[in-house]
Amino acid sequence: LGVVREWLAADVLSGSRLLVVTERAVDAGSETLVEVAGASAWGLVRAIQSENPGRVLLADVDDVADAGVEVVLRAGVASGEAQFVVRSGQVRVPRLGRAVPGLRVPAEGGWRLGFSERGTLDNLVLAPAGSGELGVGEVRVGLRAAGVNFRDVLNVLGMYPGEAGLLGLEGAGVVLEVGSGVSGLRPGDAVMGLFSGAFTAEAVTDARLLAPVPVGWSMAEAAAAPVVFLTAWYALVELAGLQSGESVLVHAAAGGVGIAAVQLARHLGAEVFATASPSKWAAVRELGVDASHIASSRTTEFEAVFRDVSGGRGVDVVLDSLAGEFVDASLRLTRPGGRFVEMGKTDIRDPEEVERLHRVAYQAFDLLQQDPGVIGAMLSSLTELFARGVLRPLPVACWDVRRAVDAFRFLSQARHIGKVVLTVP
């Protein structure tokens, strides 16, 4: 306070600005722990700023001893912002955000995330619900986390074709009870798998749809795995029969299924081509995809880029989730005799027409329509790869289930890398 007072009182400095730097004084949406003393100083200087407009700037850094922090501070000052923070070398500035109250949990009994009516994400509610009785071969799980999928968002918005069922397709938690005919599972086991209605505290599912949580994985990481890895396995192994030495194009490679598919394809020995938003290319490169094999998912330029990189041959397999002209470009890029696997729902093509025009085997699929026994067999194969560390957990962004509106909106804006997860308190 004394330094700032002296600064403001010095006439010779009237044309200058004072930058006050604190360390870990504010929460800027990161995991940095806030220091109480610094927070007090930050609040004090904010008050001084309001009384002396344009004279004092305020910055907070995660490490004031960082050799490169001065360069970033100069960039923050040049931005014209009166207040900013530096986190991991990035300048962040304060902005007003949407203030959404947390969803109210029913006072008594069980609950489940649902919606009052379709059309907007603001209609999400936590409604009273039970977890159902156990049948033969079923397991009751106390859920700790559940993965959010685009299917859930489309269901709430009323954009999913057909009946999509309850919200929440996958989750992870602890076994509470097992039904008759169940072997290999007992209360207390940590499991992950598929559910019908996973955004709840307790849920019942077929024992064949569950697998153990891999050692070292968090519940959130486990909850994000079943749908994406099962989808990637079913598409690339069961349907496309991807072989070592073949090439595969994975669209939206920074998303959940995309990251799982890239990992699996590389394990199978395939040459991977990938599209993603340019801002997410670094994440795709970290998966081991060569920079020359990455292109934007926002334009159809990938067709020409990958045709050139492949020497005009194109690719053997496409795992698609796009629509319209992107599908057309992908089909043209698929070599004659290749396989095109469609997991999207908004632009399903006629297989016979695709075969006639492109000489490509076309298959659209829905993982959840497969028999539990088939899914169980795939889960078993994946479990072995998880245990060996061949397949790694996805990056996750987590929200408390009471903040489901924020989580769904984040996913709908495609701002995520990996998966969005709701945690159960």
Side-chain angles (χ1 to χ4, degrees), residues 51 53 75 83 86 147 183 186 199 203 218 271 275 282 290 295 302 307-308 337 341 372:
E51 297 170 358
Q83 301 163 20
V86 177
S183 61
R186 61 182 181 180
F199 301 138
S218 69
E271 178 184 12
T275 66
D290 189 271
F302 66 85
R307 189 174 300 283
D308 181 62
V341 185

Side-chain angles (χ1 to χ4, degrees), residues 54-261:
R55 294 298 313 281
V56 182
L57 304 179
L58 188 56
D60 186 74
V61 299
D62 43 15
D63 183 3
V64 74
D66 186 344
V69 74
E70 183 177 343
V71 174
V72 187
L73 284 173
R74 290 182 181 277
V77 170
S79 72
E81 296 285 337
Q83 301 163 20
F84 63 91
V85 303
V86 177
R87 292 291 183 267
S88 301
Q90 293 184 333
V91 176
R92 300 184 182 183
V93 298
R95 289 292 182 266
L96 290 174
R98 181 187 297 269
V100 181
L103 302 179
R104 181 174 299 177
V105 181
E108 298 180 0
W111 52 267
R112 187 185 307 279
L113 181 67
F115 45 85
S116 56
E117 61 179 339
R118 285 185 168 90
T120 172
L121 298 178
D122 292 322
N123 289 340
L124 285 167
V125 296
L126 294 178
S131 61
E133 297 296 325
L134 283 184
V136 176
E138 291 186 329
V139 178
R140 189 186 313 279
V141 178
L143 290 165
R144 300 292 182 267
V148 185
N149 293 278
F150 273 113
R151 183 183 184 128
D152 298 312
V153 175
L154 294 176
N155 196 358
V156 176
L157 296 177
M159 298 170 61
Y160 190 84
E163 182 56 50
L166 297 173
L167 299 180
L169 307 174
E170 60 186 338
V174 178
V175 173
L176 300 177
E177 182 183 3
V178 298
S180 61
V182 175
S183 61
L185 290 174
R186 61 182 181 180
D189 288 347
V191 295
M192 63 184 187
L194 301 184
F195 297 83
S196 178
F199 301 138
T200 182
E202 294 184 10
V204 172
T205 191
D206 191 310
R208 293 171 292 179
L209 303 181
L210 296 175
V213 172
V215 175
W217 287 31
S218 69
M219 284 293 184
E221 290 172 331
V227 166
V228 297
F229 280 105
L230 283 167
T231 299
W233 182 281
Y234 189 67
L236 298 182
V237 177
E238 305 294 337
L239 296 182
L242 184 64
Q243 302 295 315
S244 176
E246 291 189 312
S247 57
V248 57
L249 168 58
V250 178
H251 282 303
V257 175
I259 292 177

Side-chain angles (χ1 to χ4, degrees), residues 258-271:
I259 292 177
V262 169
Q263 290 190 50
L264 183 58
R266 284 174 51 80
H267 166 65
L268 295 172
E271 178 184 12

